[in-house]
Amino acid sequence: MTDTRKPQPEKAAAAAAAGAAAPGRPPEQPYHPPQAYAAPQAPGAPRGAGDAAAQRKARTGARTTPRTRKARLRVAKADPWSVMKVSFLLSIALGVCTIVAAAVLWMVMDAMGVFSTVGGTISEATGSNEGNGFDLQSFLSLPRVLIFTSVIAVIDVVLATALATLGAFIYNLSAGFVGGVELTLAEDE
């Protein structure tokens, strides 16, 4: 076994005395481990002592791809109360969007003259000698359209909230049997 530590003064003196006592044996030198990548030597140096091919060079233009950590998770349970709150808020937002879209669509169609043109055609088709026929413009007035759209939006809020909550209960029952939905999440760097 070789000692890789630095020589200590007592051991160096004992080794010198042992070397002097044993003729023909050279005195021990401190151990120097071999270098993995030795510095290049002069042109007359022995082969292999400092080959340029053995020297490791830094990679300059190499692109390393970032490691993406992935985690497999399972949605084992959906809390019905939180599902109800979220679905209620989302369905209210959808109801407001429906009312605004109906108002904008009615205003665009009225500005294009769709109601007057179609209303004139319908009143001619349904009219008789005694009466004027059906008046489409008074039937499809903006307040009536907005009231009808608001009723539809309220029904949508109630139904969407109830169906989402029921869906959470059904998911929890089926997740108890099959274990739930497995997701793989990846982290971008």
Side-chain angles (χ1 to χ4, degrees), residues 65-71 185-189:
T65 57
R67 290 187 53 187
T68 304
R69 293 191 307 177
K70 292 182 180 179
L185 302 177
E187 178 184 22
D188 290 336
E189 291 187 40

Side-chain angles (χ1 to χ4, degrees), residues 88-113:
F88 178 71
L89 288 177
L90 289 178
S91 60
I92 282 181
L94 182 67
V96 169
C97 289
T98 304
I99 292 171
V100 170
V104 169
L105 183 65
W106 187 91
M107 287 182 209
V108 168
M109 289 176 69
D110 188 46
M112 289 174 38

Side-chain angles (χ1 to χ4, degrees), residues 8-167:
Q8 297 176 354
E10 307 100 33
K11 289 186 179 180
R25 186 168 167 211
E28 286 190 33
Q29 298 290 327
Y31 176 73
H32 297 288
Q35 297 294 319
Y37 301 106
Q41 300 291 327
R47 278 194 106 194
D51 281 342
Q55 196 170 18
R56 185 174 188 161
K57 295 182 180 174
R59 293 171 38 181
T60 53
R63 290 180 55 192
T64 58
T65 57
R67 290 187 53 187
T68 304
R69 293 191 307 177
K70 292 182 180 179
R72 289 188 60 154
L73 300 175
R74 187 170 42 103
V75 181
K77 184 180 183 222
D79 184 30
W81 176 248
S82 66
V83 169
M84 186 182 79
K85 290 188 292 187
V86 170
S87 65
F88 178 71
L89 288 177
L90 289 178
S91 60
I92 282 181
L94 182 67
V96 169
C97 289
T98 304
I99 292 171
V100 170
V104 169
L105 183 65
W106 187 91
M107 287 182 209
V108 168
M109 289 176 69
D110 188 46
M112 289 174 38
V114 172
F115 295 127
S116 60
T117 305
V118 174
T121 305
I122 289 178
S123 65
E124 283 180 21
T126 58
S128 62
N129 293 334
E130 301 96 27
N132 286 339
F134 183 71
D135 188 13
L136 182 68
Q137 286 179 311
S138 65
F139 182 73
L140 290 181
S141 64
L142 182 62
R144 266 191 159 170
V145 168
L146 290 182
I147 288 173
F148 180 72
T149 308
S150 299
V151 168
I152 296 296
V154 167
I155 291 172
D156 177 51
V157 167
V158 172
L159 283 178
T161 304
L163 288 175
T165 308
L166 181 66

